[in-house]
Amino acid sequence: MKNRILTGIILIALPLIYLALVYSNMPDMVNVNYNLQGKSEGLVPKTEIIVLIGALSGITLIVLLTIGFIHRLTPKLSEPANRHRMQNIALAVTAFLVFVQCWLVYTFQQGLNHASIKFILAALSLLFAIIGNYMPNLKPNYVAGYRIPWTLNNEDNWRKTHELAGKLWFFGGLLIMIMCILLPFEIASVIFGICLLIMLVLPAIYSYKLHKKMGTFVL
């Protein structure tokens, strides 16, 4: 875990280093808000970007430490298999948040419009794919995964639910990532929202149907 924490901290420092390198080349007033037509709706002094990236870096560090050490608070996550998967997920989430911060700095510097957001959606889709890769092997616990009554009270239900969720998140995440990159922002954002809803809700519905079929849930 120490190596993962160290890697995560190094990653978290990257947006701050990047900002320091390009800060002098940024305009004094930076566009931070765009409407759906790509027109700027807000300008702020570039000094506020330092506060923004600093705050996001602090949040990223908290996320890294919380997910990375959550196994100490939850006995079921203390099993080596679960612990290592949660640590890998922590690093993946950290990498995603670092990418978002670096991309924000880049867009502020270049003055790009809202269309650049689709690359953040693509990165988020890739994160879902990475997490989905770990889901089928995630053991029952009260912190990570589909923590609904009928999965927590039935290991077979948990296993089947997370096998389905893992496939949906992995292949769905990769597919959405490609579409977000290739399609215009307006279309990509709609597809992202619809697919994300399906990926999140379908496993829960499947789990409930399993529960009704098995009839093994004890309240």
Side-chain angles (χ1 to χ4, degrees):
M1 180 60 193
K2 290 182 179 179
N3 291 335
R4 291 184 179 88
I5 289 293
L6 179 59
T7 301
I9 292 175
I10 292 174
L11 287 174
I12 292 171
L14 292 180
L16 296 171
I17 296 173
Y18 179 31
L19 177 60
L21 292 174
V22 302
Y23 186 77
S24 61
N25 295 324
M26 295 177 69
D28 293 333
M29 301 297 290
V30 180
N31 294 323
V32 296
N33 187 25
Y34 293 89
N35 60 26
L36 293 178
Q37 285 72 45
K39 295 181 180 179
S40 174
E41 291 187 336
L43 293 171
V44 300
K46 68 177 182 179
T47 52
E48 294 192 15
I49 303 303
I50 300 176
V51 178
L52 172 64
I53 299 302
L56 291 176
S57 295
I59 293 172
T60 304
L61 179 60
I62 292 173
V63 170
L64 171 66
L65 296 177
T66 300
I67 301 178
F69 289 105
I70 196 68
H71 62 275
R72 295 189 177 183
L73 303 177
T74 307
K76 288 191 175 184
L77 282 179
S78 294
E79 300 176 11
N82 266 355
R83 184 171 69 249
H84 293 155
R85 292 185 185 103
M86 290 302 297
Q87 291 167 358
N88 289 334
I89 290 174
L91 196 56
V93 173
T94 298
F96 164 72
L97 294 175
V98 167
F99 168 80
V100 170
Q101 294 170 61
C102 289
W103 188 254
L104 286 175
V105 173
Y106 176 74
T107 56
F108 292 149
Q109 180 196 8
Q110 299 294 326
L112 300 180
N113 61 23
H114 72 287
S116 64
I117 298 175
K118 71 177 187 176
F119 292 102
I120 294 180
L121 296 181
L124 181 57
S125 301
L126 178 60
L127 176 62
F128 271 98
I130 293 173
I131 295 176
N133 184 57
Y134 291 103
M135 289 190 74
N137 297 315
L138 192 63
K139 303 302 180 183
N141 68 89
Y142 295 100
V143 176
Y146 281 83
R147 306 170 311 282
I148 43 184
W150 38 90
T151 57
L152 293 174
N153 285 273
N154 187 293
E155 290 191 8
D156 192 42
N157 191 308
W158 174 283
R159 178 180 59 80
K160 291 182 178 180
T161 297
H162 286 78
E163 285 178 352
L164 173 63
K167 293 177 181 178
L168 281 175
W169 285 36
F170 180 76
F171 292 107
L174 292 179
L175 179 61
I176 300 172
M177 179 188 68
I178 294 173
M179 289 190 293
C180 284
I181 293 174
L182 297 179
L183 298 177
F185 169 76
E186 291 79 3
I187 299 176
S189 60
V190 172
I191 292 177
F192 176 86
I194 294 174
C195 292
L196 182 61
L197 182 63
I198 294 174
M199 288 163 55
L200 293 175
V201 174
L202 190 58
I205 296 175
Y206 172 74
S207 178
Y208 180 73
K209 289 186 175 182
L210 279 179
H211 150 62
K212 298 296 289 186
K213 182 178 181 180
M214 296 175 178
T216 54
F217 170 60
V218 179
L219 186 62

